[in-house]
């Protein structure tokens, strides 16, 4: 193959983006093109290219496979990153820059007019951003664990709260900024910052953050933090595909994410939109992994078994899967590009529950195949919260029932895993026993159950008499009141294992969670503070999931008012987002009466409707 290194592709504003172009040399062109646009250095291996056998593919390895099959492979540094010119502002320039790059590529003599795109995480965001502008030549995409449907609801903010992975990401990536790479003193200053200490000093302000050494990174982060209402800032193509779905090209797309990824809801929303609006067939793959870790069979401290890996289970390997996808979608006639479609999701659960040799809980699981998501036969199941802190299918009958707790912003409920990414070195995602283990930021470090905290209300079923498959969206409807002008409510779905020889106190495995900032209870555009003492209804929508709650387990719902450092802490004061100077303790109340019934609404699948499903006995 022939390499054209650091080709300067011009953007509409005169900035040039450095682009490596790999051309086939033993075949006659022109050729279809596959592009990846990344902020993580186009000359280095992508973290997404780790195979099951441990081999980490380089860009050259990937390009060799693509060019050998008659594709041109293109890798580009995003604006303001590594060899590319310009100033990096996270997310907002990717639509136009992607469009301009494809407009340049399609005019080259080696391009046959059909372009595919691929990439993990940010390199998936760049794809969907340009797709919203319907760029010339775009004929296929592989969106791996990213692509913003609505960054206000998944990726930057969620339920009105700010996702603090944006802060850790900015601090780490500022060390790779042009300023830090050019000046060792700036990089050294960033490395000397104690990020854990800074997380104890939130909210950050301009000039008073670990990012102050690289002002452009500090500026974009603080702007995202401060923009709490859904307005024009959040409606740009790069971060709001929902507002541009009707402009998307009718092309086949392979969507992939995982139940402990930070982009579950974006992936499912995008898949639904492309499937609904387009004739081209779409494919969806959802594993049990952490963000992009498709060949790691455990998530957090829970093992899903060898069947959980992508390589050898979903396809031969990830690179072959993409090559086959682009063979069909870029080389076949347009009318034949819809020959491969469907849904493949990993159903977590059903394992032994024992501790494996690595000290992880054997939760197990298996792949399910379908043509639809949610799965055919899905039904809704409502479980009501009662004053005895039970979950029951029977609605409450009491005329008046409630539970209250105190919320102290100075002592938030700590994050113990979850569907998140980019939190290192402060926090991590995945499935864990919900305990205040000293490995987690902000815990008491005594290994006590989170459910025993005075600021957590736990509601659970009786031990299940039959297996229960929860597969699809869920929501929590709460009637609440507070003596504060604003506060948060969080909800966490938990699979509670009974006591066993390996786990004498049982094991409370987090499945999915969500949050709602009360000022946004009725409108994302026009927040309204609470009236102290007035009952209102809020809805929390955690990410969808796919889990088998085994017979003998309990299904639990934990209600609290913080999940830090996954989300920023509500000061309960009603002050502007990210600007609080006067945090206060709140008394929050959950109503559980017949008239004001709070409930959990699940999407469930009768076990008999799952293909090849067999109930597994308790070990």
């Amino acid at each position: 193959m022939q390499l054209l290194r650091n080709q300067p592709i011009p953007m509409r504003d005169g900035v040039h983006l450095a682009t490596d172009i790999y051309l086939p040399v033993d075949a006659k062109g022109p050729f279809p093109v596959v592009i990846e646009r990344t902020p993580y250095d186009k000359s280095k291996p992508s973290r997404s290219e780790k195979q099951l056998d441990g081999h980490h593919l380089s860009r050259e390895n990937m390009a060799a496979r693509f060019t050998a099959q008659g594709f041109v492979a293109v890798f580009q540094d995003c604006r303001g990153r590594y060899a590319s010119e310009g100033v990096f502002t996270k997310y907002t320039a990717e639509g136009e820059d992607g469009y301009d790059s494809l407009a340049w590529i399609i005019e080259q003599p080696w391009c046959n007019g059909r372009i595919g795109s691929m990439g993990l995480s940010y390199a998936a965001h760049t794809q969907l951003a340009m797709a919203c502008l319907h760029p010339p030549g775009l004929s296929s995409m592989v969106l791996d664990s990213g692509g913003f449907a609505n960054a206000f609801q998944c990726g930057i903010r969620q339920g009105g709260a700010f996702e603090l992975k944006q802060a850790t990401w900015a601090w780490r990536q500022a060390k790779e900024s042009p300023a830090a790479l050019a000046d060792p003193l700036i990089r050294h200053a960033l490395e000397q910052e104690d990020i854990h200490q800074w997380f104890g000093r939130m909210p950050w302000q301009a000039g008073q953050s670990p990012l102050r050494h690289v002002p452009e990174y500090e500026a974009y982060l603080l702007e995202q933090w401060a923009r709490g209402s859904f307005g024009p800032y959040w409606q740009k193509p790069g971060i709001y595909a929902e507002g541009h779905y009707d402009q998307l090209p009718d092309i086949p797309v392979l969507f992939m994410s995982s139940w402990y990824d930070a982009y579950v809801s974006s992936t499912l929303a995008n898949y639904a939109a492309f499937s609904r609006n387009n004739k081209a067939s779409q494919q969806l793959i959802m594993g049990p992994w952490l963000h992009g870790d498709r060949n790691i069979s455990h998530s957090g401290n829970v093992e899903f078994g060898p069947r959980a890996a992508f390589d050898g289970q979903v396809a031969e390997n990830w690179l072959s899967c993409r090559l086959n996808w682009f063979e069909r979608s870029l080389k076949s006639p347009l009318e034949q590009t819809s020959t491969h479609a469907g849904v493949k999701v990993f159903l977590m659960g059903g394992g032994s529950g024992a501790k494996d040799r690595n000290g992880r809980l054997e939760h197990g699981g298996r792949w399910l195949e379908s043509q639809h998501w949610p799965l055919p036969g899905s039904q809704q199941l409502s479980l009501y919260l009662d004053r005895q802190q039970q979950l029951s299918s029977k609605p409450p009958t009491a005329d008046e029932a409630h539970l209250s707790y105190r919320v102290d912003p100075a002592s938030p409920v700590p994050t113990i895993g979850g569907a998140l990414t980019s939190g290192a070195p402060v926090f991590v995602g995945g499935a864990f026993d919900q305990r205040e283990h000293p490995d987690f930021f902000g815990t008491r470090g005594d290994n006590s159950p989170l459910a025993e905290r005075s600021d957590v209300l736990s509601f659970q079923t009786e031990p299940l008499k039959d297996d229960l498959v929860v597969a699809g969206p869920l929501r929590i409807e709460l009637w609440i009141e507070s003596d504060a002008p604003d506060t948060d409510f969080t909800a966490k779905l938990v699979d509670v294992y009974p006591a066993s020889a390996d786990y004498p106190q049982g094991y409370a495995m987090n499945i999915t969670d969500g949050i709602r900032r009360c000022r946004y209870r009725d409108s994302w555009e026009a927040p309204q503070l609470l009236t102290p003492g007035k009952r209102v209804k809020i809805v929390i929508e955690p990410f969808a999931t796919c889990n088998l709650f085994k017979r003998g387990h309990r299904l639990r719902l934990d209600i609290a008012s913080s999940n830090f450092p996954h989300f920023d802490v509500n000061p309960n004061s009603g002050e502007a987002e990210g600007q609080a100077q006067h945090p206060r303790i709140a008394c929050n109340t959950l109503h559980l009466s017949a008239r004001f019934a709070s409930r959990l609404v699940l999407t469930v699948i009768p076990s008999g409707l799952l293909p090849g499903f067999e109930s597994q006995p308790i070990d």
Side-chain angles (χ1 to χ4, degrees):
M1 62 184 175
Q2 177 186 1
L3 169 60
L4 306 177
R5 188 180 296 280
N6 285 329
Q7 296 298 295
I9 296 183
M11 301 294 104
R12 62 190 66 183
D13 61 354
V15 166
H16 291 80
L17 303 188
T19 308
D20 290 347
I21 302 168
Y22 295 84
L23 301 170
V25 293
D26 296 325
K28 184 178 180 180
F31 308 97
V33 177
V34 176
I35 185 173
E36 179 179 345
R37 303 187 61 252
T38 176
Y40 298 123
D41 193 345
K42 65 180 176 0
S43 65
K44 293 181 180 177
S46 167
R47 64 177 294 270
S48 69
E49 305 305 331
K50 294 180 180 179
Q51 297 185 321
L52 185 61
D53 61 8
H55 182 58
H56 195 174
L57 295 175
S58 67
R59 300 285 187 190
E60 291 76 12
N61 294 151
M62 296 175 63
R65 289 287 303 275
F66 274 96
T67 56
Q69 287 193 215
F71 297 96
V72 174
V74 175
F75 301 102
Q76 184 181 77
D77 287 328
C78 289
R79 172 183 295 253
R81 297 289 289 177
Y82 297 96
S84 285
E85 299 173 354
V87 175
F88 176 73
T89 302
K90 196 176 185 185
Y91 305 134
T92 55
E94 305 305 347
E96 291 81 0
D97 286 354
Y99 183 102
D100 293 351
S101 297
L102 265 60
W104 182 88
I105 289 171
I106 204 170
E107 295 298 326
Q108 304 311 303
W110 38 260
C111 176
N112 72 356
R114 304 196 73 187
I115 304 173
S117 61
M118 64 179 181
L120 165 72
S121 193
Y122 199 109
H125 302 330
T126 64
Q127 296 179 67
L128 192 59
M130 69 180 181
C132 289
L133 302 181
H134 210 302
L138 184 62
S139 304
S140 178
M141 294 193 294
V142 175
L143 295 178
D144 181 5
S145 308
F148 288 118
N150 182 344
F152 181 81
Q153 291 294 359
C154 174
I156 302 179
R157 307 191 74 91
Q158 195 177 136
F162 185 59
E163 295 192 49
L164 290 175
K165 69 181 178 67
Q166 294 294 341
T168 44
W169 191 95
W171 176 70
R172 291 200 317 275
Q173 294 304 318
K175 290 184 281 188
E176 300 295 320
S177 65
L181 293 177
D183 187 344
L185 292 178
I186 293 178
R187 184 179 177 92
H188 179 72
L190 287 163
E191 290 174 339
Q192 292 304 303
E193 297 289 354
D194 186 336
I195 190 67
H196 291 84
Q197 186 180 75
W198 276 107
F199 262 70
R201 297 170 57 186
M202 289 184 166
W204 299 343
Q205 303 299 326
Q208 301 177 48
S209 84
L211 293 167
R212 64 190 183 280
H213 311 289
V214 187
E216 63 265 32
Y217 280 66
E218 183 183 67
Y220 89 71
L221 176 74
L222 295 182
E223 182 173 26
Q224 291 175 349
W225 203 333
R227 290 186 178 273
S229 301
F230 185 66
Y233 178 87
W234 298 105
Q235 297 168 12
K236 300 169 185 174
I239 55 176
Y240 183 49
E242 283 182 358
H244 304 269
Y245 279 154
D246 59 351
Q247 302 167 35
L248 291 168
D250 188 354
I251 60 175
V253 184
L254 170 57
F255 300 87
M256 185 161 71
S257 184
S258 45
W259 302 123
Y260 289 96
D261 181 35
Y263 299 105
V264 174
S265 64
S266 274
T267 299
L268 297 178
N270 290 332
Y271 168 75
F274 271 81
S275 299
R276 179 176 61 249
N277 297 336
N278 296 341
K279 295 179 180 178
S281 294
Q282 316 299 317
Q283 187 172 3
L284 173 67
I285 300 169
M286 294 293 295
W289 322 295
L290 286 172
H291 182 66
D293 291 339
R294 68 186 62 78
N295 283 319
I296 298 176
S297 62
H298 66 272
S299 173
N301 199 33
V302 169
E303 176 62 55
F304 298 103
R307 289 188 293 183
F310 182 94
D311 290 6
Q313 300 293 326
V314 180
E316 178 187 356
N317 57 58
W318 180 223
L319 181 56
S320 296
C321 178
R322 284 171 291 173
L323 283 165
N324 292 338
W325 177 265
F326 289 126
E327 282 283 344
R328 291 190 299 270
S329 59
L330 296 182
K331 291 185 178 180
S332 301
L334 287 174
E335 64 271 14
Q336 296 179 15
T337 59
S338 62
T339 58
H340 189 81
V343 173
K344 193 160 189 174
V345 297
F346 192 86
L347 173 64
M348 303 180 290
S352 70
K355 184 180 294 185
D356 71 7
R357 62 183 180 180
N358 295 309
R360 301 188 184 103
L361 176 84
E362 292 183 343
H363 191 61
R366 52 165 294 201
W367 290 97
L368 302 175
E369 294 190 33
S370 175
Q371 291 298 312
H372 304 282
W373 178 265
L375 299 171
S378 296
Q379 301 174 2
Q380 282 198 341
L381 172 65
S382 291
L383 296 175
Y384 294 88
L385 290 61
D386 67 24
R387 187 167 180 171
Q388 288 70 45
Q389 294 185 231
Q390 295 178 328
L391 285 175
S392 171
S393 58
K394 297 179 180 179
T397 58
D399 292 334
E400 180 60 43
H402 64 269
L403 293 169
S404 300
Y405 58 97
R406 294 173 76 252
V407 180
D408 185 355
S411 181
V413 178
T415 297
I416 310 295
L420 53 92
T421 187
S422 302
V426 182
F427 54 102
V428 297
F432 295 93
D433 195 1
Q434 295 299 288
R435 293 178 173 275
E436 300 216 36
H437 194 277
D439 286 350
F440 294 91
F441 181 85
T443 67
R444 297 167 181 167
D446 58 5
N447 211 41
S448 59
L450 279 187
E452 292 182 358
R453 290 177 60 109
S454 61
D455 53 359
V456 176
L457 297 176
S458 286
F459 301 83
Q460 64 182 1
T461 64
E462 294 295 323
L464 297 173
K465 295 180 180 179
D466 298 292
D467 293 344
L468 177 64
V469 176
V470 175
L474 63 153
R475 69 180 186 276
I476 298 93
E477 301 171 357
L478 302 178
W479 282 94
I480 62 96
E481 67 177 90
S482 177
D483 66 355
D486 190 33
T487 192
D488 291 349
F489 279 86
T490 66
K492 182 184 298 176
L493 184 66
V494 181
D495 187 344
V496 182
Y497 275 75
S500 65
D502 285 338
Y503 300 98
Q505 296 178 301
Y507 193 104
M509 174 184 168
N510 56 303
I511 300 299
T512 185
D513 63 75
I515 191 169
R516 189 65 171 245
R517 188 148 290 172
C518 288
R519 68 174 71 182
Y520 302 108
R521 64 194 179 276
D522 295 323
S523 170
W524 303 114
E525 296 83 4
Q528 183 178 3
L529 296 179
L530 295 168
T531 300
K534 180 180 179 181
R535 272 183 295 227
V536 296
K537 184 179 181 179
I538 65 168
V539 177
I540 303 172
E541 296 180 290
F543 289 171
T545 191
C546 190
N547 185 68
L548 165 64
F549 291 81
K550 201 173 179 181
R551 179 169 59 90
H553 291 206
R554 296 175 188 261
L555 187 148
R556 194 174 88 194
L557 184 68
D558 290 351
I559 303 295
S561 289
S562 51
N563 183 356
F564 177 78
H566 186 175
F567 303 107
D568 66 332
V569 177
N570 195 319
N572 302 324
S573 59
E575 295 171 85
E577 298 277 9
Q579 305 296 315
Q581 299 297 317
H582 305 287
R584 52 158 292 183
I585 292 174
C587 179
N588 288 350
T589 298
L590 189 61
H591 288 275
L592 311 162
S593 65
R595 186 179 175 190
F596 301 101
S598 296
R599 65 173 181 162
L600 163 65
V601 183
L602 299 167
T603 302
V604 300
I605 308 291
S607 60
L609 294 180
L610 292 178
F613 181 90
E614 293 181 4
S615 179
Q616 301 179 41
I618 297 174
D619 295 307

